[in-house]
Amino acid sequence: MTLRTLLLLSAMLSAATVTGAAAQEGAAPKGLDVELNALAGSQKGCLFTFVAANGFEQNVSKVSFEFVIFNDKGTVERLALLDFRDLPAGKSKVRQFDVPGIKCETVKNLLINDAPVCEGEGLAKGRCMDGIVTRSKAAAGLEG
């Protein structure tokens, strides 16, 4: 093989690697991102603060999540349906929910069980749970 042939093959392999990486990045599913940002005691119980981001190309006109709240014993404390309202495409929103009768210090984990309401033009039913990303900055964990 000549040096020219080796350089040509090297360039072709480099281009294929870059194209493959770009295709993998482009194929990464975009969806909703929900972060449990804080828990704070309130007069009613516990104030849950979430940051939700919409990675879809479409606006979400209405979304509600069914949360399972686990206590410090690892058992289910409560199921709560929380209405996150609208989430514009490519934007983040802060949502707060004051959940009565719960002490924040006993909340150890939350699970997003389902998204029974997921509406938006061009948005398939059930799409809000596809590829959902969850994380927590609070003392309690969050799973999707």
Side-chain angles (χ1 to χ4, degrees), residues 36 39 68 107-111 135-143:
L36 175 59
L39 298 173
V68 181
V107 176
K108 294 303 173 201
N109 199 40
L110 283 87
L111 169 69
R135 68 179 163 280
S136 177
K137 289 186 178 175
L142 176 62
E143 300 174 36

Side-chain angles (χ1 to χ4, degrees), residues 9-130:
L9 284 172
S10 176
M12 288 171 48
L13 286 173
S14 294
T17 301
V18 169
T19 302
Q24 286 177 348
E25 286 177 17
K30 292 185 177 182
L32 300 181
D33 186 308
V34 180
E35 172 189 280
L36 175 59
N37 187 268
L39 298 173
S42 70
Q43 289 182 345
K44 291 182 181 180
C46 186
L47 182 67
F48 291 75
T49 301
F50 295 93
V51 178
N54 180 355
F56 295 135
E57 292 179 7
Q58 305 93 345
N59 292 327
V60 176
S61 58
K62 185 171 181 143
V63 61
S64 293
F65 294 108
E66 179 186 64
F67 282 86
V68 181
I69 303 170
F70 292 90
N71 62 27
D72 52 357
K73 295 177 180 106
T75 59
V76 174
E77 179 72 27
R78 180 167 315 164
L79 270 74
L81 187 61
L82 305 179
D83 183 2
F84 277 63
R85 301 186 314 249
D86 65 316
L87 295 173
K91 302 281 183 180
S92 295
K93 293 252 182 156
V94 174
R95 300 290 189 225
Q96 291 186 312
F97 304 94
D98 202 352
V99 181
I102 290 184
K103 294 180 180 178
C104 294
E105 58 273 11
T106 65
V107 176
K108 294 303 173 201
N109 199 40
L110 283 87
L111 169 69
I112 299 177
N113 212 31
D114 194 13
V117 177
C118 176
E119 299 172 1
E121 189 173 329
L123 199 61
K125 183 175 176 126
R127 181 76 171 102
C128 290
M129 288 300 290
D130 291 345

